[in-house]
Every structure is written in C-alpha cells, then in structure tokens.
Amino acid sequence: MEKTQNNKAWFLILPVLVLVAFSAVLPLMTVVNYSVNDTFGNNAFFWTGLEWFEEMVTSSRLHDALGRQILFSLIILAIQVPLGIFIALNMPKKGFWASFCLVLMALPLLIPFNVVGTIWQIFGRVDIGLLGHTLAAMGFDYNYTNDPLDAWITVVVMDVWHWTSLVALLCYAGLQSIPQAYYQAAKIDQATRWSVFRYIELPKMKGVLLIAVLLRFMDSFMIYTEPFVLTGGGPGNSTTFLSIDLAKMATGQFDLGPAAAFSLMYYCVILLISWVFYTVMTNLDREENR
Amino acid sequence: MSRITLSNLAHSYLPNPKGEDDFALKEMDHIWEDGGAYALLGASGCGKTTLLNIISGLVRPSQGRVLFGERDVTDAETTERNIAQVFQFPVVYDTMTVRQNLAFPLRNRGMDPAYIARRIDQIAAMIGMEAMLDRKARGLTADAKQKISLGRGMVREDVNAILFDEPLTVIDPHMKWELRTQLKSLHREFGHTMIYVTHDQTEALTFADKVVVMHDGRVVQMGTPEELFETPAHTFVGYFIGSPGMNLLDAEIAGSEARLQGVSVPLGAAYGPTTGRTQIGIRPEYVLISDEGLPVTVKRVEDVGRHRIVRAELAGQPFSAILPEGMSVPADGARVSFATGKVNVYANDWRVAPAETRGGA
C-alpha cells in the first residue's frame, strides 16, 4: 500500500524544532563562534581561525586530563560491569526479598549527584567521617585530600556505589526475561553453573549489557559533579577529569576561546565513541539474525 | 535404564497444604516399567507436567518417594538421575550452532569427541537437519528449534528415561506425524522408557503401548488404548477418550438391568447394589438407532465424512450417537438401544465391575 503524503506533520514538530534550536543548537553555535574568535567582552570578536584548536591539541594539560579520564572510565567499566552482573545473578528472583533488593538497589540512583559528592566528602573525612575515621583508627594512612591514590580510590568507590545499581538492575531485567524452561533444560543437559551463565544468561543479557556499558561509559566520561564536590579535582590535578578541567578553564580562568575549542573536541570524542558503540551493537544484532 | 517407581507420591506447590484441593498431585502409587512407551494424557492443569518434573528431579515431591530400580532418587539432583526431557516450547542455546546444541549434553558428560561426532550425525539424520548442522540456532524457525530440542533429548543413549512434555505443540501437522513415527521407531530400536505427555488423544493412542489418563491430580486409569475405549475406569476417561465422548445417563441399577425413564436397559451382566450417583455409560459407537428403545429428540446431525454424528437429547441430557454410512435418521420418534455388553456402570464417577467377574463383591 502506498503511504499517503501528508506534510502537515512538519508543522506539528515545528514547536519541538524551535525549542531544540533555542536550547541546544543556538548555544552550540555560540560555542562554535567562541572557538574561532578571541573576545574581551562587549561582544567584540577577533577572528583567530583554528588557533585555539591547535593550542588545545598540543596542550599537555588537556592530554593529562584526557589520560586520567580514559583511565577512570576504564576502571569504572571494569568494576561496575562484572560487579553488576554478579549482583544481578545473586538477587532473589521473586517474593518479598526481590522487591526489597530492587528498592535498595534503586536508592543510590535517586540521590542527586552533588548530594552523593557531599555524602562521600563527609564520609571519607579523617576527622569526622565514619569511613575516614575508622580507616585511620585501624592504622591505615588514609587521607583523600592530600594523597592522590586515596583520592582516586575514593572517587572510584563513590562512583561504584552510585552507579553499579544501574548495571545490576538492567542485567536483572535481562535475567528475568529468561523462561524457567531454559534452566530446566540446562539441568537435564547436565550443564555446569558456568555453562548456564555462558550459554543462557550471558546471551540473554547481551542486549541490556551493551546499553549498560554505553550508558556507564558516557556518564563516566562526562563525570563532573561528584568528584568536583568530593575532591575539587585535587589533590593537585590528580582527579581533574576532562569536564572539571573544562569548567575551570571556562568559568574559572575565563579562557572562553580555548574552552570552546576544548568542549567541541570533547563533544566530538563522545560522539565518535558512541557511534562506534552503536555500530558494533547493530552489527552484532544483524550477525545474530542471519 | 531401570523401572521407575512412584510410591505414595503427592505434590503441592503451597508450603503448607491444608486440604486435598491444595495438592497439584494427589497421593498416588505408580510404576513405569523399564522400556515402556507411555502416554500421559489429560486436560491442561491436571498435573501431568508436575508429575514429569518430579520424575526428572526438577521438582521435589512434597511427600512420597521416587525410585529408579531399587535406588531411591527422591533427593537426587536432576544431573544424577540421567534423564532426558523435552519441553513444550523449544529451548535452544542461541549462541551455539545446531551441531553444538546437539553435542552439549554429551560434552557435559565428557564423552569421546569421535563418538560425539558420530552420534550427532545419527541424530541429525533422524530429525532431518543434516544440512543445517553448522548454522547458528538463533535464527531458526520454531519447529526447527523444537527438532533440535528433541534431538538433544535423544542424543544420550544411556538415559534412564526420556520424558516428552507436549513436545509437538509447535510443530506443523505433517512434521508432527513424521516425528512421532520417528520417536516410535527410536523406542523400538533402543528400548528407552518413554513418557509422552499430551492432551491430544490421537497423539497418545498412536504413540503409546500404555496410556495413563490423569484427571484432577490423579491417575484415573492406565491401560491399552482398547481398554480405555471399552472399559473406561472413570467417567472422565469415557468423556476424554473418543470423539464424541461416552454418553453418561443417570440410571438405577437392579441386577442385570438398568432402569431409566421407566425403560429397562439390559446390561449384559449382573451388578451388586450401588451407592451414590449412579450412571450408565455407553459409547456413541455402540448406540443403535431404531424404532424401539429409549425415545430421543434429534437436535442436529454432523457429517464428519467417514460417518455422521447424531446430536440428540435423551431425557433432557445431551446424547450422541454415531450413525454408520448409509443409514438415515428417522424424522421423528427416533429411539435408541444399546449394544449388549457395551454398557458400563459408574457410581460416583468410578466404574463398577460386574458382580460375576468380581466374585460376588
């Protein structure tokens, strides 16, 4: 059947287009404008071409932040994905405890980012924090405010606490969709626990797992509020991730030109990696359905 | 391979069953002989699957024992029991190829690779999937997947029993018949004990030597297809086996006669006094339509090709009769009589044996 042509739809999405233009496209264009000009306020712009981009690409400050950022995202994925799967596998499947666990798991996800940062900022303090004080009392030389390693551990543990639930809940949903007959058949076939995971649970979880990896990658790659509240990027620059560095540059030093160039490249990197993820995911799907 | 004994077995899905109604499986004793081909027949929800899962060890019975030969396996894991089971809906391992799927139970038992390869070829030939062995199982149709499930069920040669839980539900009719024949010849060849759950009587009667009919959590009768047809032990068997099912009429029994509507019907044997609701049962196949006997009101006649089914009313109760080809239905005033010796007597739904054969009881 031929589809009827009806261009009225364009008018219906016009309001959305206008809204998006004001909230996203125009600000983005402003950033583009800043990235190729130098300005000293008063709306006076001086054309600089790609100067800021060149400066940023060769800036060792940006390279360090990028290195820290990639390391952070990799650590987060390496911990949260296996841990999330492990938790999902061990959660009760039904009854009161299943609901109880679900609520418990959802709680960290409901806490605003800056509150999470504040909680851990206090929790980790050696003088009044439960965690910091306990560790100190046990004889550990723990102080996240002046030891880079301690600061990293605290930021990572905080993120694991905040976001592993998301991976676990997504995997749990994937696991719940497996009919009981699969587990029964596996028992009949005398499969080991590992085989059940490898051939039944993992394939069924693959879809949600890819989404979880994508979400956790993007979120951790853009992380700002929690480490900013917890360590403020310190000690030194040791926990200054890309977005913290960017904010320092733009609103701290008011280097709008370099910051704009920086954020555009940052944006492109995220877009590129997400595109890679998307392509891999759709290709996997196609391969399976062949 | 060994005989499977269910002793004093009952199961409830509730943690603290109160009355009999809470039991999905009422107390029963049952023996599955080694090498038998059984069909487990019954309506949906009568406990067939529960019984099967108890035998394979997927469900632990609330009471009673399960014995394989002399060995008590009530608390044994499914793995230990070495049972094959095929489920109603296809279960395949998506990421594996067809070949890997079929090899999975053998590989898990650490069989010799050369033997596995040989065995896979045999099974693939049996289910007609030689051409697809190296394809991923994921993209296959439902009936291809179910064939893989069947193949996986049959691939082990040393199993104690193979259980089929309505395995052909998703398979198209032509393939159904072929696979059933395959199962049957497989049974003759290897002599595995096979228990085949179904709610389709044709399937049950063509597959099995012995048909076990379940109703409401109980085994109501086990017998050959002929026994189920001629002497149903319970009104449910009479109604469930046969198309249309057995006619059941309220009657009073007096010696070798039944009285209904003031007309006496000879029973062909003498019966002792009965208690409770007494009914006589007669197969539509054994009803003769003639000028004498009980008056019936004919409602409609269904032509099913080989014969016609007369749907009528007898004393206000529905009644069917099978009319051989060529015979006509009297326009009005039709009467029916019953073939001698084909009438069964039921008291409270259970068959009452004639007094003579029971030795005067």
Side-chain angles (χ1 to χ4, degrees):
Chain A
M1 203 182 78
E2 278 285 308
K3 270 193 187 163
T4 36
Q5 285 284 333
N6 189 344
N7 288 322
K8 263 186 202 150
W10 291 109
F11 291 101
L12 296 178
I13 62 167
L14 202 62
V16 176
L17 277 178
V18 171
L19 269 175
V20 169
F22 269 97
S23 66
V25 180
L26 290 184
L28 185 65
M29 289 306 119
T30 316
V31 174
V32 172
N33 188 33
Y34 275 120
S35 72
V36 289
N37 283 298
D38 200 355
T39 178
F40 305 98
N42 287 334
N43 258 352
F45 289 99
F46 303 92
W47 177 256
T48 54
L50 294 177
E51 208 175 291
W52 299 132
F53 286 93
E54 280 164 27
E55 190 184 316
M56 282 300 108
V57 166
T58 53
S59 143
S60 67
R61 171 179 165 180
L62 190 140
H63 290 169
D64 291 349
L66 182 67
R68 282 190 290 270
Q69 186 66 70
I70 290 173
L71 181 65
F72 178 73
S73 286
L74 288 181
I75 292 176
I76 288 303
L77 287 178
I79 295 176
Q80 291 184 357
V81 171
L83 187 61
I85 294 175
F86 180 78
I87 292 174
L89 287 175
N90 288 294
M91 268 166 76
K93 296 285 176 283
K94 55 184 169 216
F96 167 79
W97 290 108
S99 323
F100 180 81
C101 285
L102 283 176
V103 172
L104 204 66
M105 299 293 288
L107 276 180
L109 301 175
L110 298 174
I111 301 174
F113 294 36
N114 55 346
V115 178
V116 172
T118 312
I119 290 174
W120 281 83
Q121 203 258 345
I122 296 171
F123 190 46
R125 275 174 66 169
V126 180
D127 49 352
I128 55 167
L130 186 62
L131 174 75
H133 193 75
T134 312
L135 284 175
M138 285 164 70
F140 290 101
D141 181 22
Y142 169 83
N143 191 337
Y144 71 84
T145 51
N146 57 26
D147 184 314
L149 183 66
D150 290 350
W152 264 82
I153 292 173
T154 314
V155 172
V156 167
V157 169
M158 173 180 66
D159 199 81
V160 167
W161 176 82
H162 194 185
W163 287 112
T164 306
S165 296
L166 180 76
V167 183
L169 291 179
L170 282 169
C171 291
Y172 185 70
L175 285 175
Q176 290 290 65
S177 71
I178 303 176
Q180 199 55 33
Y182 277 78
Y183 292 108
Q184 296 182 333
K187 269 192 193 169
I188 296 287
D189 293 338
Q190 310 189 338
T192 56
R193 180 71 191 88
W194 168 251
S195 300
V196 170
F197 175 70
R198 169 73 184 74
Y199 297 112
I200 297 175
E201 291 170 333
L202 198 58
K204 291 276 172 189
M205 273 195 296
K206 202 169 66 188
V208 284
L209 215 48
L210 276 167
I211 302 234
V213 170
L214 180 59
L215 283 177
R216 283 316 301 133
F217 170 77
M218 291 198 319
D219 262 1
S220 65
F221 206 74
M222 302 186 302
I223 192 166
Y224 176 76
T225 317
E226 299 135 289
F228 181 75
V229 174
L230 181 67
T231 62
N237 274 334
S238 62
T239 56
T240 302
F241 301 120
L242 281 178
S243 56
I244 295 178
D245 204 14
L246 177 62
K248 271 185 189 166
M249 199 183 288
T251 56
Q253 299 154 216
F254 232 69
D255 286 337
L256 291 181
F262 182 171
S263 67
L264 280 179
M265 290 190 291
Y266 192 7
Y267 174 74
C268 289
V269 167
I270 291 196
L271 210 60
L272 178 77
I273 295 176
S274 301
W275 176 78
V276 169
F277 262 104
Y278 177 79
T279 316
V280 168
M281 272 158 76
T282 45
N283 275 349
L284 277 177
D285 261 7
R286 211 176 305 146
E287 207 169 278
E288 272 158 12
N289 293 327
R290 196 176 298 154
Chain B
M1 294 189 219
S2 50
R3 188 166 86 164
I4 299 171
T5 312
L6 309 178
S7 138
N8 199 23
L9 191 83
H11 186 70
S12 170
Y13 285 105
L14 304 173
N16 297 305
K18 301 275 187 303
E20 208 180 38
D21 285 348
D22 287 349
F23 279 87
L25 215 55
K26 316 276 195 278
E27 200 171 298
M28 66 165 75
D29 286 288
H30 197 89
I31 289 171
W32 310 89
E33 292 296 344
D34 184 20
Y38 294 92
L40 195 53
L41 186 64
S44 302
C46 72
K48 295 172 301 204
T49 301
T50 307
L51 185 59
L52 221 56
N53 288 347
I54 286 177
I55 296 173
S56 61
L58 296 171
V59 171
R60 197 200 175 284
S62 324
Q63 71 170 67
R65 322 295 315 160
V66 181
L67 291 102
F68 284 8
E70 296 303 314
R71 190 173 158 233
D72 188 336
V73 293
T74 317
D75 295 306
E77 287 285 327
T78 306
T79 334
E80 272 179 65
R81 300 192 187 193
N82 201 13
I83 287 244
Q85 187 170 358
V86 180
F87 298 89
Q88 181 171 6
F89 294 103
V91 176
V92 296
Y93 303 105
D94 285 341
T95 51
M96 297 188 196
T97 62
V98 175
R99 185 191 301 279
Q100 287 164 334
N101 257 285
L102 294 175
F104 193 57
L106 298 178
R107 285 225 319 265
N108 287 334
R109 309 198 71 214
M111 298 280 195
D112 170 46
Y115 166 76
I116 296 181
R118 252 198 336 273
R119 186 70 187 149
I120 299 304
D121 288 337
Q122 283 173 15
I123 294 292
M126 198 179 295
I127 57 174
M129 293 195 77
E130 295 110 313
M132 297 189 200
L133 274 178
D134 290 310
R135 277 185 54 173
K136 274 258 177 357
R138 190 187 189 104
L140 298 174
T141 58
D143 58 334
K145 284 184 182 177
Q146 186 65 338
K147 282 197 270 176
I148 298 174
S149 301
L150 275 169
R152 248 193 7 254
M154 299 183 296
V155 75
R156 284 179 284 160
E157 289 180 277
D158 60 342
V159 287
N160 280 312
I162 309 182
L163 315 179
F164 300 95
D165 191 353
E166 308 192 27
L168 303 183
T169 313
V170 292
I171 306 240
D172 68 55
H174 164 72
M175 198 65 206
K176 229 180 210 177
W177 184 83
E178 201 176 300
L179 281 175
R180 209 158 50 218
T181 317
Q182 290 275 18
L183 290 182
K184 190 110 180 136
S185 67
L186 189 79
H187 177 253
R188 267 194 294 270
E189 198 175 333
F190 296 105
H192 291 302
T193 310
M194 288 188 177
I195 303 175
Y196 189 103
V197 166
T198 178
H199 58 246
D200 178 340
Q201 52 164 313
T202 326
E203 220 167 89
L205 299 178
T206 50
F207 173 80
D209 315 326
K210 281 277 178 69
V211 178
V212 178
V213 184
M214 284 189 71
H215 176 56
D216 199 17
R218 267 196 189 85
V219 171
V220 287
Q221 187 171 11
M222 174 165 93
T224 60
E226 196 193 346
E227 284 166 351
L228 297 182
F229 188 80
E230 296 289 344
T231 52
H234 188 273
T235 51
F236 175 79
V237 181
Y239 148 83
F240 202 71
I241 307 272
S243 170
M246 185 180 247
N247 294 304
L248 290 160
L249 305 161
D250 287 314
E252 278 164 41
I253 306 296
S256 61
E257 280 189 346
R259 294 197 70 78
L260 66 161
Q261 300 289 300
V263 180
S264 79
V265 176
L267 294 173
Y271 287 85
T274 56
T275 50
R277 184 185 186 197
T278 309
Q279 289 170 299
I280 58 169
I282 177 79
R283 291 262 173 216
E285 286 81 356
Y286 299 134
V287 173
L288 311 168
I289 299 191
S290 56
D291 315 332
E292 47 195 63
L294 296 157
V296 293
T297 322
V298 175
K299 294 284 182 196
R300 60 176 197 277
V301 179
E302 292 164 14
D303 196 332
V304 293
R306 210 152 27 89
H307 54 244
R308 280 173 295 166
I309 300 169
V310 178
R311 302 281 188 185
E313 236 174 46
L314 195 156
Q317 298 174 55
F319 186 87
S320 348
I322 285 183
L323 200 63
E325 225 169 345
M327 272 190 67
S328 61
V329 190
D332 49 18
R335 284 167 181 271
V336 292
S337 57
F338 307 147
T340 339
K342 299 296 185 188
V343 182
N344 288 291
V345 176
Y346 295 92
N348 288 334
D349 290 332
W350 291 93
R351 181 169 179 268
V352 181
E356 283 99 327
T357 52
R358 245 200 205 171

